[in-house]
Amino acid sequence: MANEIWTIKRCLEWTKEYLAERGEEHPRLSAEWLLCAATGLARIDLYMRMDETLNAAQLETMHAAVVRRAKGEPLQYITGSTQFRMIDVACAPGVLIPRPETEMLVEEVLNYLDAEVLSPEAAARQRVELPWNDEVEQARKVEAALADERATAERRAANLTAADEAALGSDVLGSRAYAEELADREAEEAATQAAEAEAAEAAEPELDEYGIAIEGADQEAALVRDAAAPAPAEPRTARVLEVGCGTGCISLSLAWERRGHVTCTATDIEPRAIELATKNRDALGLTSDEVAFSLTNLVSSIPREEWGTFDVLVSNPPYIPTDVMRALPHEVKDFEPDLALEGGADGLDIFRRLLNAVPYMLRAGGLFACELYEGALDVAAELCRQAGLSDVRIVRDLTDRPRIVRAIVTEPKQRQ
């Protein structure tokens, strides 16, 4: 095989057929992914460079990848990465692969933060009102008035006939010149009137609560009082706690998409997950102040002084019921970690532990958002209500299956 000429086109077609014979559901897509990883090309570039020949190193990488895929190993582990919302995320065996459903979990958190915690500017740039905008606008209006007056006079002059000019007499500089001079005078008068009107408007006295003008010392006192009034509070930074971070895709997306407005603390019990999440954070150029990862069991590492300070507790915990685990596809059951998948008899073992921690971790009005197994959402929602949470909702995923439970903490607790 190494002595043969393998172009991108030939390798793509051969891989597609080989994987299809072994039961691959989407053989061409898998072949494209593997070729992109082996060559470093984007999918569109494969079709622009079909006649290019693969070198020995690329062929060796491709061969090893095809063998792994034929055995059922997930593409994300073979290629080493996947895309999640707006970021690329490194993937590795031993750490759960991000799913599209989890992108919706991020969306729920962002919607809450934008509406309840952050200023509108955190989600979308808006026009900034500068102090001199009003002055510029007034100057523009005066300029427009002058232009209108001059245009009117010029039209009037252009309509004068030779007979009109003769009737005006030879002692005048000329009808058109006279009309232009008249236009200039009228324009100057209009500008003066506009300026006076603006000055009068600006000089209007400040009125008290009864509509009476404040004069002299009273007005000065009012100005001093206004100057001493506290400035509007700056929008604060939202604090998010994620439990069971895996690749870090949730916290990293939140911090990336609302950079400067959101900080995250994320935990996981698996050392490989913390190592991979840190690698993904560094690749994005985010700092540990923006996203901090901690190796711990659930919330055990959260300092006592930080309890009750978080705006959101978000999690994609292990939630597959034990019986359902046996029916999972081969590439999930035999390659992805059970620790990140199995959630006990009803899939809610970890959820119940999280629910116990929520009132201690979140401030009043804070959001608890959790991704769960589709058959467990109704029970999870009722557990939230029994725990005293309010505004409990179930959110459906892209395939219209119940997938996320979200609720609000109304009465935070303090451990004695």
Side-chain angles (χ1 to χ4, degrees), residues 83-221:
Q83 189 170 22
F84 185 85
R85 289 181 65 89
M86 297 173 63
I87 61 176
D88 288 326
V89 177
C91 299
V95 183
L96 189 70
I97 297 169
R99 263 57 173 192
E101 295 87 348
T102 309
E103 296 187 5
M104 292 190 63
L105 182 61
V106 173
E107 189 71 18
E108 285 297 314
V109 173
L110 287 175
N111 289 340
Y112 165 81
L113 292 177
D114 290 343
E116 304 296 336
V117 182
L118 303 177
S119 64
E121 289 78 10
R125 293 179 61 87
Q126 295 183 346
R127 180 176 182 266
V128 178
E129 288 294 335
L130 300 175
W132 52 83
N133 281 352
D134 288 341
E135 297 174 21
V136 172
E137 181 64 16
Q138 290 300 327
R140 187 195 65 77
K141 290 180 179 178
V142 172
E143 239 181 294
L146 285 171
D148 288 343
E149 293 290 341
R150 186 178 296 276
T152 300
E154 287 175 352
R155 284 195 299 271
R156 190 186 311 157
N159 289 331
L160 292 176
T161 63
D164 294 328
E165 290 181 10
L168 286 172
S170 57
D171 59 329
V172 183
L173 294 177
S175 59
R176 296 183 189 278
Y178 176 79
E180 291 173 359
E181 182 181 348
L182 179 62
D184 288 340
R185 290 177 184 174
E186 291 175 346
E188 289 173 2
E189 290 175 1
T192 301
Q193 291 172 358
E196 290 174 351
E198 290 169 21
E201 182 178 351
E204 286 184 4
E206 185 178 354
L207 303 180
D208 64 14
E209 57 184 326
Y210 303 104
I212 300 174
I214 302 175
E215 298 181 352
D218 291 337
Q219 190 166 2
E220 291 180 7

Side-chain angles (χ1 to χ4, degrees), residues 163-416:
D164 294 328
E165 290 181 10
L168 286 172
S170 57
D171 59 329
V172 183
L173 294 177
S175 59
R176 296 183 189 278
Y178 176 79
E180 291 173 359
E181 182 181 348
L182 179 62
D184 288 340
R185 290 177 184 174
E186 291 175 346
E188 289 173 2
E189 290 175 1
T192 301
Q193 291 172 358
E196 290 174 351
E198 290 169 21
E201 182 178 351
E204 286 184 4
E206 185 178 354
L207 303 180
D208 64 14
E209 57 184 326
Y210 303 104
I212 300 174
I214 302 175
E215 298 181 352
D218 291 337
Q219 190 166 2
E220 291 180 7
L223 292 173
V224 171
R225 185 177 64 251
D226 291 343
E234 289 292 326
R236 67 181 180 83
T237 301
R239 302 194 73 233
V240 175
L241 173 61
E242 181 191 0
V243 178
C245 64
T247 61
C249 60
I250 294 175
S251 287
L252 295 176
S253 290
L254 293 171
W256 180 259
E257 294 184 40
R258 296 294 183 272
R259 192 161 192 181
H261 299 278
V262 175
T263 61
C264 301
T265 298
T267 71
D268 204 292
I269 199 172
E270 169 58 61
R272 287 175 293 182
I274 295 298
E275 181 181 354
L276 185 61
T278 302
K279 173 184 174 182
N280 282 324
R281 180 190 67 197
D282 295 344
L284 288 170
L286 293 168
T287 67
S288 58
D289 290 333
E290 294 173 293
V291 183
F293 294 110
S294 176
L295 179 64
T296 191
N297 185 13
L298 301 182
V299 299
S300 299
S301 66
I302 305 302
R304 186 65 63 93
E305 60 269 20
E306 294 186 22
W307 290 15
T309 67
F310 293 99
D311 298 291
V312 174
L313 193 156
V314 61
S315 183
N316 175 22
Y319 61 67
I320 305 297
T322 303
D323 288 343
V324 178
M325 286 286 296
R326 303 187 186 97
L328 289 177
H330 164 59
E331 68 176 70
V332 176
K333 179 175 60 177
D334 294 338
F335 289 94
E336 296 199 64
D338 287 353
L339 184 65
L341 292 169
E342 187 170 355
D346 62 357
L348 296 175
D349 282 2
I350 301 300
F351 174 80
R352 288 184 175 89
R353 296 173 64 187
L354 288 174
L355 189 55
N356 288 334
V358 162
Y360 297 98
M361 296 295 113
L362 295 182
R363 61 165 178 82
L367 173 73
F368 174 43
C370 196
E371 180 179 332
L372 294 169
Y373 178 65
E374 61 187 84
L377 266 298
D378 288 334
V379 174
E382 182 57 31
L383 289 173
C384 287
R385 295 185 188 97
Q386 292 174 8
L389 274 61
S390 65
D391 193 19
V392 180
R393 304 183 211 169
I394 294 174
V395 181
R396 306 183 81 83
D397 66 17
L398 300 172
T399 60
D400 200 35
R401 293 184 175 94
R403 182 63 59 192
I404 297 165
V405 64
R406 51 163 290 166
I408 300 296
V409 170
T410 52
E411 296 183 8
K413 297 180 180 179
Q414 293 185 353
R415 197 178 300 277
Q416 301 301 322

